[in-house]
Amino acid sequence: MNIHRASHLGWCFGVRDALELARTEAASGPVTSLGELVHNPAVLEELRQHGVLTRHDPADIPTQRVLITAHGASRRRLADLNDRGFQVTETTCPLVHRAHAALDGLVRQGCHPVIIGQSGHVEVRGLAEDHPGCDIILSEDEVDALRERPLFGVVSQTTQPIARVHGLVARLRARFPASEVRFRDTVCQPTKDRQEAAVELARECDVVVVVGGPHSNNTRELVATCLAHCPRVHHVQGPAELSPAWFHTGDRIGLTAGTSTPDGMINAVETWLRQLAAAHAAPDTSDGLHPATRRAA
Ligand code: SF4
């Protein structure tokens, strides 16, 4: 067995900076994050112990100070929180700000706004709330159901796979040949790097392990990308969810992780896999059991 790490994986600078700012803010008293600062239960628990609470509904915020996550928020939402007397700190990623600016610019040019992304996702909500009447699409059927407009302005959620985004823009142009479609590529570079590295990895490996929280959109997208190139893909939050039965002697095992997965969790999964590989390689452990399994037997 060989273990291969993707050339790009794990935390992006946007998540790292947001967490650092949250910890700095919490050092001077409890603060509430509106939404999950990072889609990883272990990291959220660590933040809670440092005084960073998480709430999803603005009506439930128990502190005077509020954090906006790296996914950002609409101007409406920020104004509402300020009007209600909260002290708001934005940890919004600069690449999310860039997506907001791109959409605002297209609307100023007279375009009908279209967002490629998940309609319930906090980043997409933040983009859409400032442009009532905009369309949110994620499938070719949704493109086909759009109303014709003379001028469309399209941006994307920062964590969408770029191939999907290009495909939907092409479909929009084909569906409305008389319309002009202006597209701004707002998929962030860390997402592109991780997606590209995941494709390479999945093509080269017999089985791929993707580490990340269950609510992390970019982790789920990495799983889907890997599945397009490798039939054996497993999404886990950490080593406790791995099963020795998923791996066979001689397998090339790929390892990748979403942008909200801490280095420590990736390393723990890699250590588990290396122990399993060593057990498969050792002559006296030909039962192929993971050391933890053998100890329990
Ligand atoms: S995934 Fe991209 S947009 Fe989101 S926080 Fe990371 S770098 Fe920023």
Side-chain angles (χ1 to χ4, degrees), residues 12-15 70 93 95-96 158-159 188 190-191 259:
C12 57
F13 76 91
V15 167
C93 176
L95 300 183
V96 173
T158 53
T159 50
C188 73
T191 290
T259 54

